[in-house]
Amino acid sequence: MDTATPARVRVLFFARYAELVGRSEVAVSLPLPATVGDVVRRVRQDFPGAQALPERPLAAVNLKQAKLEAGVQDGDEVALLPPIAGG
Amino acid sequence: MDTATPARVRVLFFARYAELVGRSEVAVSLPLPATVGDVVRRVRQDFPGAQALPERPLAAVNLKQAKLEAGVQDGDEVALLPPIAGG
Amino acid sequence: MVAEVAQPACGGTCLFLGTVRDGPDEHGVTAIEYSAYEAMVDAEFGRLLADARDRWPEARIAVRHRLGTIPVGEASIAIVAAAPHRAQAFEACRYVIEGVKQRIPVWKKELRVDGTEVWVDPSGRPTVRPSDHPSHV
Amino acid sequence: MVAEVAQPACGGTCLFLGTVRDGPDEHGVTAIEYSAYEAMVDAEFGRLLADARDRWPEARIAVRHRLGTIPVGEASIAIVAAAPHRAQAFEACRYVIEGVKQRIPVWKKELRVDGTEVWVDPSGRPTVRPSDHPSHV
């Protein structure tokens, strides 16, 4: 993949985070290589309400938990997850 | 209680032990003071089939597990219990 | 039984079912005949549940042990423990089944497809036949 | 669910029910609203159950997690583990509920008698209100 091409990433918010941001999904574009952490920084910067998200939220890429250092690719689905409280 | 009076004790057998002895209950009389171990020895000596019982079986006195060294009194119910296998 | 122990403050319920088994370690078991020293079973269950309540005062516990002939696949024992938190429910339930195995005077005789009957020893393996010399642990 | 996992070789079955609670640590909870990242719930349950099968290859496990609004006293999650021996059944069942609490992306909002709604934090105590600064563990 051409690393100069900007990647388009879907970002999903859940539960309390969706309430903070006021929506459950946004799209961001960012130059590659990029990490989950870069996506979080972009979201916190670009969307009102998203500044209230933690700087280091729990995250998943394509339905699997991922570290903030993990790379993202064009078309990835990045989810920001409040502390899990199921069961 | 007069220790010279012989105590009369019911002895119960269960499961495999009842099969070995060929009955589920006998009565023995023995002079006091006496222990559960004395009851076992008397039973093994007096009843055909009871020689096949272990010398140190699990025992209960009046519905509660008891050591072979525990004393017995007139009217006690002594049970000889095969290894427990419930559940 | 679950309803019996349920209450709004209990967030975790652990149910254990012990079922008559015919697996690779068994040999064509069709049923198990359970016998018991029934009066002592009642007394000992009372003491066992009192011990459990001492350890987990917030837990609510119910137990049923069936006796008689129980075919493979059916439950012989059911234990339910409900507690405010799940750790208590699991621990109390486990404590009771372990106590049953150690303390409750119940015995099993396996009934097999070939017509033989074998007393089960406490390790769960039927090693002693009625005609063998008695063993005791 | 119990029938789903039952088989003749399984002698022990452990069922866990997680129930919506209103106890002394809660404050007039009438129901909990469960929300989830549903596609990831499915994927993560697949991985969690695969991990459990790696650890207890003989265990058979089934799980149901309800979503939406669940009133106090009703179960939100049921886990059944059947195995040849009881230790496997208890351990596998406990492993799965602990895994759910750590890995399955589900969130709870407590609905209270006074009309307030409070997100539940992972320790089980609702400490964060929607208007507070976000906290994260």
Side-chain angles (χ1 to χ4, degrees):
Chain A
M1 180 179 293
D2 181 352
T3 58
T5 311
R8 195 169 166 82
V9 170
R10 287 174 69 207
V11 184
L12 308 183
F13 309 107
F14 292 94
R16 181 165 149 63
Y17 292 175
E19 287 185 355
L20 289 170
V21 182
R23 52 205 290 187
S24 57
E25 182 175 345
V26 300
V28 298
S29 290
L30 68 179
L32 291 180
T35 65
V36 176
D38 294 331
V39 173
V40 173
R41 273 183 290 277
R42 173 64 60 89
V43 165
R44 294 180 81 244
Q45 184 182 303
D46 287 2
F47 298 91
Q51 293 87 342
L53 294 176
E55 286 178 29
R56 302 187 58 80
L58 190 65
V61 176
N62 300 334
L63 310 181
K64 194 165 185 180
Q65 278 194 36
K67 299 191 172 183
L68 296 180
E69 296 70 34
V72 293
Q73 303 299 331
D74 186 57
D76 277 355
E77 178 175 291
V78 174
L80 304 188
L81 312 175
I84 283 171
Chain B
M1 180 178 295
D2 180 352
T3 58
T5 311
R8 196 169 164 80
V9 170
R10 286 174 71 207
V11 184
L12 308 183
F13 309 106
F14 292 94
R16 182 167 150 62
Y17 292 175
E19 286 185 355
L20 289 170
V21 182
R23 51 206 289 188
S24 58
E25 182 174 347
V26 299
V28 297
S29 289
L30 68 180
L32 291 178
T35 65
V36 176
D38 294 331
V39 172
V40 173
R41 273 184 289 280
R42 172 65 59 89
V43 164
R44 293 181 80 245
Q45 184 182 301
D46 288 1
F47 297 90
Q51 293 87 342
L53 294 176
E55 287 178 29
R56 301 186 59 79
L58 191 64
V61 176
N62 301 334
L63 310 181
K64 195 165 184 181
Q65 279 194 37
K67 299 191 173 185
L68 296 180
E69 296 68 35
V72 293
Q73 303 299 330
D74 186 57
D76 277 355
E77 178 175 292
V78 174
L80 304 189
L81 312 176
I84 283 169
Chain C
M1 277 177 69
V2 172
E4 216 172 280
V5 297
Q7 59 174 26
C10 289
T13 301
C14 184
L15 164 66
F16 177 77
L17 294 176
T19 306
V20 175
R21 181 178 62 214
D22 180 31
D25 295 338
E26 287 71 31
H27 306 280
V29 172
T30 58
I32 288 182
E33 193 181 292
Y34 285 80
S35 57
Y37 182 9
E38 295 192 36
M40 184 174 163
V41 166
D42 293 345
E44 197 65 35
F45 262 129
R47 291 186 287 260
L48 177 58
L49 294 182
D51 290 349
R53 276 190 283 268
D54 283 348
R55 287 172 185 244
W56 296 279
E58 297 177 298
R60 295 162 59 89
I61 306 172
V63 185
R64 298 277 185 285
H65 200 316
R66 287 172 68 192
L67 298 176
T69 300
I70 304 179
V72 162
E74 288 190 15
S76 55
I77 188 165
I79 300 166
V80 185
H85 299 288
R86 67 185 180 281
Q88 304 160 333
F90 274 102
E91 288 162 15
C93 190
R94 185 79 192 263
Y95 178 84
V96 172
I97 182 63
E98 298 303 329
V100 167
K101 300 280 179 180
Q102 286 163 16
R103 298 168 50 170
I104 304 295
V106 171
W107 299 279
K108 305 183 204 186
K109 185 191 263 180
E110 289 185 355
L111 311 183
R112 302 193 176 172
V113 277
D114 63 6
T116 58
E117 303 186 345
V118 180
W119 289 105
V120 176
D121 96 348
S123 72
R125 300 279 63 72
T127 54
V128 183
R129 286 172 176 274
S131 56
D132 293 345
H133 191 273
S135 72
H136 178 65
V137 178
Chain D
M1 275 178 73
V2 172
E4 215 173 282
V5 297
Q7 59 174 25
C10 290
T13 301
C14 184
L15 165 66
F16 177 77
L17 295 175
T19 305
V20 174
R21 181 178 63 215
D22 180 32
D25 295 337
E26 287 70 31
H27 307 279
V29 172
T30 58
I32 288 182
E33 193 182 291
Y34 285 80
S35 57
Y37 182 8
E38 295 193 36
M40 185 174 163
V41 166
D42 292 344
E44 197 65 34
F45 262 130
R47 291 186 288 260
L48 176 58
L49 294 182
D51 290 349
R53 276 189 283 269
D54 283 347
R55 287 172 185 245
W56 297 278
E58 296 177 298
R60 294 161 61 88
I61 305 172
V63 186
R64 298 276 184 285
H65 200 316
R66 288 172 67 192
L67 297 175
T69 300
I70 304 179
V72 161
E74 289 190 16
S76 55
I77 188 164
I79 299 166
V80 185
H85 300 287
R86 67 185 179 281
Q88 304 160 333
F90 274 102
E91 288 163 14
C93 190
R94 184 81 191 263
Y95 177 86
V96 172
I97 182 62
E98 298 303 328
V100 167
K101 299 280 178 178
Q102 286 163 17
R103 296 168 50 172
I104 304 294
V106 171
W107 300 278
K108 306 184 205 186
K109 185 191 263 182
E110 289 185 355
L111 311 183
R112 304 193 174 171
V113 277
D114 63 6
T116 58
E117 303 186 346
V118 181
W119 290 104
V120 177
D121 96 348
S123 73
R125 299 279 63 74
T127 54
V128 183
R129 286 172 176 273
S131 56
D132 293 346
H133 192 271
S135 72
H136 178 65
V137 178

